[in-house]
Amino acid sequence: MTRTSLQCRECKKEYETAFKYVCDDCFGPLDVKYDFPTLTKDTFSNRQHTYWRYFELLPIENKSNIVNIGAGMTPLTKAENLGKKLGLNNLYIKNDSVNPTFSFKDRPAGVAISKAKELGLTAVGCASTGNLASATAAHAAAAGLPCHVFAPSNIEMAKITQALSYGANYIAVDGTYDDANRIAAQIGDSKGIGIVNINMRSHYVEGSKTFSYEVAEQLDWTVPDQLIVPVGSGAMLNAICKGFEELQTVSLLDDVSNMHMIAAQPHGCAPIVDAFKKNTKEVIPVENPDTVAKSLAIGDPGDGRYVLKRLEQYNGFAEECNNQEILDAILLLAQTEGIFTEPAGGVSISILQKMVEQGKIDKNDKVVCYVTGNGLKATESIMQVLTKPTVYKPNINEISAVVQ
Ligand SMILES: Cc1ncc(COP(=O)(O)O)c(C=O)c1O
Ligand SMILES: [Zn+2]
């Protein structure tokens, strides 16, 4: 007997767990369905400080298949200084910039690669805007599996360097993320490679649910009022909702229906925001994304339609911000809270500001803003809004004059 099965999100047909991600009948995406054991808050309290502490809520049958590089259980920082600036009394930053590969992608990649091992796959890979490349490559290295990464050639050098260092076969595609994604899908299927965010997607998204489990536990098993989530493909936002719903199912949380989901996208690649503002269910792909938030440059979001559903279900909003606003927000977070994020995190902070300005967040709301990647991965972009330091001769008088 296995603890999990797969179920079509559309027609609800069930399947035994396998290397499979779309429904045979309606081509809908398959989600993992669980037979949950009885859980209490104490179940987790004395466990390891990684997201594997929530093993019972993750789709791995046998613990020996877990590929654990220490990801998760990242800080949920009460942002007193930024909160004061914005007029918020209960603002929290979920800081995933400090994961082992410096982004939240260690969550979905770690679960997908553990599952790939469990299913007996002999190679893995991903289509990536940069962060997933490193997360997949690092976990593949730890699992001893070859890793094939498909990514646009114009992403940040730090992300390329990092993935190459873990030993990945890095395929830089002269095109958009959607081009890389299409090629990865075809090669993955024809060669039997577990592409974590494509043919392993059912299991991949399960990893991002741990963003909800940790936040709930860190908030002493309460539900936030407002959640601000940066959106590329939309997989993470959808998974965060699923995670909170599962905690309600296992009676670890009370009613989660009053939380508000806010989708944050960069101007230049905001197809979900466009659909939300036009009040349509159809997400029209952006052909050539153009934004400083390269990790969110996904023109044709795989889970776009489901994000719109989630926003409706959770009385949410979708909003966008431009490059200048993103870079300013990075500095605002760094200079108030000491947290250095990449542009995707800047998008979250900028949209947080906008939501406050638009009166969509009350000053006493419990707000969780997801900061999903590290600023050190995008220093070329962030330098655009900083002044290059002047170089001085090691002369005490000269230097003393500029230290006031
Ligand atoms: C740092 C960061 N934040 C957010 C996202 C968006 O996640 P999703 O594609 O699941 O919406 C990405 C995607 O690559 C990312 O790298
Ligand atoms: Zn179906």
Side-chain angles (χ1 to χ4, degrees), residues 104-105 129 131 230-236 295-296 298 342 344 372-373:
F104 90 97
K105 294 285 186 183
T129 53
N131 285 314
V231 169
S233 75
M236 174 184 24
S295 53
L296 301 181
I298 297 180
E342 68 149 283
T372 49

Side-chain angles (χ1 to χ4, degrees), residues 125-134 148-156 159-160 163 169-184 197 294 297:
C126 65
S128 176
T129 53
N131 285 314
L132 185 58
S134 293
H148 307 278
V149 164
F150 302 81
S153 55
N154 70 347
I155 64 169
E156 296 94 338
K159 292 177 181 170
I160 297 173
N169 172 26
Y170 196 104
I171 294 122
V173 178
D174 181 14
T176 63
Y177 169 80
D178 293 312
D179 294 325
N181 195 63
R182 202 178 50 251
I183 289 162
N197 58 323
K294 294 185 182 185

Side-chain angles (χ1 to χ4, degrees), residues 7-15 22-30:
Q7 184 174 42
C8 174
R9 200 180 295 169
E10 295 295 336
C11 75
K12 308 297 173 201
K13 182 172 175 176
E14 285 195 39
Y15 299 85
V22 282
C23 176
D24 294 339
D25 287 2
C26 74
F27 302 109
L30 301 182

